[in-house]
């Protein structure tokens, strides 16, 4: 590349890539407060340090275990169905790898989906599925912090009630926050910073440090975005009738 830079590409199993990226992201989230490198810079530096020295600069990466989440129907385990396992990003996982990973865990995660739309509405895991994230992004449209107009597509999906305090990965406890306001919410905490609760799915009530209350609601979504799965199902039904 230009200015003495270069790019290293690694092509391997999507399962391994998912685990490596998860480990790098966890490393970034646990970096020292005095380290001001951005996420991509920090992840690249940490990966380079591991490849060159076998360890990272801080030495704590060895204590972080990567997590691979694979979604599959129960019928795959009984041999009734094949080719249905996937990573959270929607990448398909071959049956042998999926069954091997399923056999190596000591517990299972329940995932409940809407019977009509197929969108995952709750799960016993921290990270929302790709389908649930898309739903929250389309619903919120922008960062939900008062006065912020950054688009939701590039925002974080935050648990309104923290996961570690019993918050669930459900639409009525998830909202889009840009990285700045996501960090602000968690760094100050409800005792010294902003308090927030979700009055109903997508309607957030914020209380600032001075006690003033502000409510933010997602802008109205086009009809085609509100229920994309239902629209698709209707179109499939129309085609079937014509045929």
């Amino acid at each position: 590349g230009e200015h003495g830079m270069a790019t290293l590409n690694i092509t391997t199993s999507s399962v391994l890539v998912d685990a490596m990226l998860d480990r790098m992201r966890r490393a970034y989230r646990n970096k020292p407060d005095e380290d001001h490198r951005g996420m991509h810079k920090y992840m690249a530096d940490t990966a380079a340090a591991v490849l060159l020295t076998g360890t990272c600069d801080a030495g704590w990466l060895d204590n972080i275990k990567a997590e691979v989440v694979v979604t599959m129907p129960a019928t795959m385990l009984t041999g009734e169905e094949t080719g249905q396992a996937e990573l959270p990003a929607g990448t398909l996982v071959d049956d042998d790898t999926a069954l091997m990973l399923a056999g190596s865990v000591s517990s299972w995660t329940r995932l409940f989906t809407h019977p009509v739309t197929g969108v995952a509405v709750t799960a016993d895991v921290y990270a929302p599925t790709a389908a649930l994230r898309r739903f929250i992004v389309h619903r919120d449209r922008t960062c939900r912090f008062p006065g912020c107009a950054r688009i939701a597509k590039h925002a974080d999906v935050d648990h309104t009630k923290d996961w570690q305090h019993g918050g669930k990965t459900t639409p009525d406890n998830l909202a889009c926050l840009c990285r700045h306001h996501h960090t602000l919410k968690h760094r100050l905490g409800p005792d010294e910073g902003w308090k927030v609760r979700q009055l109903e799915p997508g309607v957030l009530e914020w209380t600032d440090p001075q006690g003033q209350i502000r409510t933010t609601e997602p802008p109205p979504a086009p009809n085609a975005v509100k229920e994309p799965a239902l629209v698709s199902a209707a179109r499939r039904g129309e085609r079937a009738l014509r045929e």
Side-chain angles (χ1 to χ4, degrees):
E2 298 180 351
H3 310 298
M5 303 299 289
T7 299
L8 171 66
N9 293 319
I10 299 177
T11 302
T12 185
S13 160
S14 58
V15 171
L16 296 180
V17 171
D18 187 82
M20 287 187 286
L21 286 176
D22 178 71
R23 202 166 191 232
M24 293 297 101
R25 291 191 184 101
R26 289 170 185 251
Y28 172 75
R29 289 197 296 268
N30 289 277
K31 71 182 178 68
D33 293 336
E34 60 271 15
D35 192 322
H36 300 295
R37 284 176 289 176
M39 181 175 67
H40 296 295
K41 171 66 173 173
Y42 192 87
M43 290 171 63
D45 289 348
T46 302
V50 171
L51 287 172
L52 291 171
T53 68
T55 184
C56 69
D57 298 335
W60 43 257
L61 186 59
D62 292 336
N63 296 320
I64 296 178
K65 182 180 179 181
E67 180 180 86
V68 178
V69 177
V70 178
T71 301
M72 68 182 79
T75 48
M76 271 196 66
L77 302 177
T78 59
E80 301 172 45
E81 196 168 6
T82 60
Q84 298 297 315
E86 61 180 33
L87 297 173
T91 307
L92 291 176
V93 179
D94 67 272
D95 294 348
D96 290 341
T97 300
L99 293 175
M100 179 192 70
L101 293 172
S104 66
V105 299
S106 58
S107 62
W108 293 87
T109 296
R110 294 176 298 169
L111 180 67
F112 299 97
T113 60
H114 191 284
V116 176
T117 66
V119 172
V121 294
T122 185
D124 295 334
V125 291
Y126 171 76
T129 63
L132 182 53
R133 176 182 168 80
R134 283 194 299 269
F135 175 80
I136 299 299
V137 167
H138 284 306
R139 183 196 71 187
D140 288 357
R141 310 283 293 282
T142 64
C143 170
R144 303 307 313 287
F145 192 84
C148 184
R150 293 184 177 93
I151 62 174
K153 180 180 178 181
H154 303 301
D156 298 332
V157 175
D158 171 66
H159 288 74
T160 304
K161 180 179 180 181
D162 291 351
W163 168 265
Q164 61 265 34
H165 296 150
K168 301 297 184 181
T169 306
T170 56
D172 59 354
N173 192 50
L174 296 173
C176 290
L177 293 179
C178 68
R179 178 55 55 89
H180 172 72
H181 289 123
H182 190 187
T183 302
L184 176 69
K185 171 179 178 277
H186 289 285
R187 186 176 73 243
L188 297 178
D191 295 332
E192 299 179 11
W194 290 74
K195 299 180 178 68
V196 61
R197 63 188 184 121
Q198 209 157 155
L199 303 180
E200 58 183 86
V203 180
L204 273 65
E205 180 187 85
W206 294 86
T207 304
D208 68 20
Q210 287 72 43
Q212 294 183 327
I213 297 177
R214 309 179 192 183
T215 301
T216 65
E217 299 183 17
N223 290 334
V225 176
K226 284 183 179 178
E227 295 290 352
L230 291 177
V231 172
S232 297
R235 288 174 179 169
R236 289 196 298 271
E238 291 174 359
R239 286 197 299 269
L241 289 174
R242 287 198 299 268
E243 294 171 358

